[in-house]
Structure formats: structure tokens, C-alpha cells
Amino acid sequence: MPKNVTAPSDMTASPKSPPIFSRLGTFLLTVGMVFAFFVSQLIGIYVAGKLVLPATQNASIGNIFFFGGNDGTVVSLSIIVGCVLLLAVSIFIIRLRGGSLRQYLALKPFSLSVGMGMLGLLLIFMIVSQALTYLLDMTPLDFVDPLYQSVSSVWLLVFAMVIVAPIYEEVVFRGILWSAIAEQFSSASYSENYGAIVASMITSLIFAIIHVQYGIYEISTIVVLALIFCYARIKSGSLLLPIVLHIVNNGAAMWQYVAQAA
């Protein structure tokens, strides 16, 4: 594998071919995927709630969402259901527009040296973030408490939040949306890296804002984290590296939480 993958062809979905989405199409895609992100979670909670929660046969939809949203088993299963739905939607849209999944989602190997370098950058971020969290006396994982206390198996919760969630979040935000936005600014009228920068800024802000369970401090750190994931995609030319980094980040956070809760 190459040592450095920084060619312009790795910074956008396909700079030598015309965009598969128009400007309006990209806007509608962004709005639609954010909408699908939340709808998939609601569908997942409803389906899992009907299967897991007792006495839900005659319960209202509102009660299923209320009790299911605070049940660790239901939420874990809903993440898995949401992942399947969002991956299916992403694949369908790209295929519908005639795009290549491997190219558009950057599903290719990445250089080990680049991966190690990005892992080092992520570790620096995690150390600084943890220090600030301690100094400011913040507790960003409070929302996990009812999920951890009610889940049927801690490993189910860990699997959903550490493995499954990073996969579909990266496919949506550093995958299809990043490529769709980047390709809009990759013509000869723009500088070489302009599309990658615009895509990284927009997708990182949206990614942070949709984490409605967090406060302002946590959202600001998520923006920085998302930019690191975007940089990893640019530097490696692969979506697989952001997925790995995302799993490492979530795994470290969950490990710390479980260690303190045990």
C-alpha cells in the first residue's frame, strides 16, 4: 500500500467525472439523510420495543418511544436496526444515481503509516479532551446511565455503541454526504483541496448538532473529533480509517464508563 495517499482523486468522490448529484440534489440528500438518521432510530426503537418491552401490545406509540428510549436493550437493538436501514438507504441512493459504492464511499485499504499517524492524533485529542472534561467537571456520558442499568447484557450495549454506531455514522457523514458535498466544489473553478475542506466543515457541524443528547461543551468537542475523522479520510483516501478511529474513540469512552460504573 502507498505510504502517502494525498492525491486529489482521494479527496473527492470522483473529480474527473461529473458529480452524480446536482447542487439541489446534494442539498436534498443532506436534509434527507439527516431525516433518515432520526427516522431510522425511531423505527428501531419501535420495532425493538414491541419485541422486548413487556405489555407493549396495547401500549401507545408514545409510551413505546418513552419507555423504549430509556431501556438499554431496546436502544441497543434500535442502533442495530438503524444501521441496517441507513446502510440500505445509502447503497440504494448511490446505485440509483449510477455511482460506484467502492469509489463513492472510499471503501479501499489505507496505509499503515497513515493509520498510525492518525491514531496518534486521535490519542492527543482524547487526552486533551479528557483533561478539559476533568477540569470543567463535565459528565458527558450521563445519558448512558439508564441504558447501562437496564440493558439485558452489557456486551450488547457495548457492541451497539462501540462497533455498530460508528459504522453507519461514518458511512452517512464521512461517506455519502462528504462525497456528495465535496464533488460540488471539485471542478477547475476551485482550488485542489476546496471541496474536501467544505465537505469536512459542513458534515462535521451537522454530525455534532445531531447529537442532541449532549450539551454545548460536548458538541464543540464532537466538531473537532469529526474534523479529525474527515482529515483521516482525506489523508488516507479511505473511509475505513475514520471507521476504525471512531470505533477506537467510542471504545475508549465506553471502557472508561464501564470501569467507573462497575
Side-chain angles (χ1 to χ4, degrees):
M1 289 181 288
K3 294 289 185 181
N4 294 296
V5 188
T6 55
S9 61
D10 289 322
M11 294 186 180
T12 59
S14 182
K16 294 183 180 180
S17 60
I20 68 173
F21 295 99
S22 64
R23 287 287 177 90
L24 177 60
T26 299
F27 173 77
L28 294 177
L29 173 69
T30 303
V31 174
M33 289 305 296
V34 172
F35 178 75
F37 185 88
F38 287 108
V39 170
S40 66
Q41 292 180 332
L42 293 176
I43 293 175
I45 289 177
Y46 180 79
V47 171
K50 294 289 284 186
L51 294 174
V52 174
L53 294 178
T56 56
Q57 293 301 318
N58 298 319
S60 66
I61 295 178
N63 284 335
I64 293 176
F65 286 146
F66 177 78
F67 292 108
N70 290 285
D71 184 277
T73 303
V74 172
V75 170
S76 298
L77 293 175
S78 73
I79 291 174
I80 297 173
V81 171
C83 178
V84 173
L85 293 176
L86 286 172
L87 291 181
V89 169
S90 300
I91 293 171
F92 173 76
I93 292 175
I94 295 172
R95 289 295 194 193
L96 182 66
R97 300 299 301 173
S100 165
L101 288 176
R102 185 178 184 277
Q103 184 179 40
Y104 212 74
L105 296 180
L107 301 177
K108 60 187 73 173
F110 57 86
S111 165
L112 180 60
S113 61
V114 172
M116 294 303 295
M118 291 307 307
L119 179 60
L121 179 60
L122 177 64
L123 291 176
I124 293 173
F125 164 81
M126 292 167 61
I127 292 171
V128 173
S129 176
Q130 183 61 33
L132 286 175
T133 299
Y134 176 78
L135 291 174
L136 297 175
D137 194 27
M138 305 297 291
T139 53
L141 293 180
D142 277 353
F143 76 94
V144 181
D145 288 343
L147 306 181
Y148 179 80
Q149 294 165 5
S150 59
V151 71
S152 59
S153 170
V154 173
W155 290 110
L156 176 62
L157 183 64
V158 170
F159 174 72
M161 298 186 70
V162 174
I163 304 297
V164 179
I167 291 175
Y168 73 76
E169 288 180 349
E170 291 307 310
V171 167
V172 171
F173 293 98
R174 260 66 63 182
I176 183 172
L177 292 185
W178 194 96
S179 293
I181 296 171
E183 69 179 3
Q184 301 301 316
F185 303 93
S186 300
S187 67
S189 304
Y190 300 98
S191 64
E192 183 178 284
N193 301 329
Y194 188 66
I197 294 172
V198 173
S200 298
M201 294 300 298
I202 293 176
T203 57
S204 296
L205 288 173
I206 296 175
F207 178 71
I209 292 172
I210 65 167
H211 285 79
V212 293
Q213 69 270 34
Y214 293 117
I216 297 299
Y217 165 74
E218 291 83 3
I219 288 178
S220 64
T221 60
I222 291 175
V223 171
V224 178
L225 181 64
L227 288 172
I228 292 175
F229 294 154
C230 290
Y231 182 57
R233 164 157 183 177
I234 296 170
K235 188 70 174 176
S236 67
S238 173
L239 183 65
L240 301 181
L241 181 54
I243 290 175
V244 170
L245 295 179
H246 201 153
I247 289 173
V248 170
N249 178 79
N250 284 20
M254 183 59 69
W255 174 80
Q256 183 181 27
Y257 176 85
V258 173
Q260 292 176 347

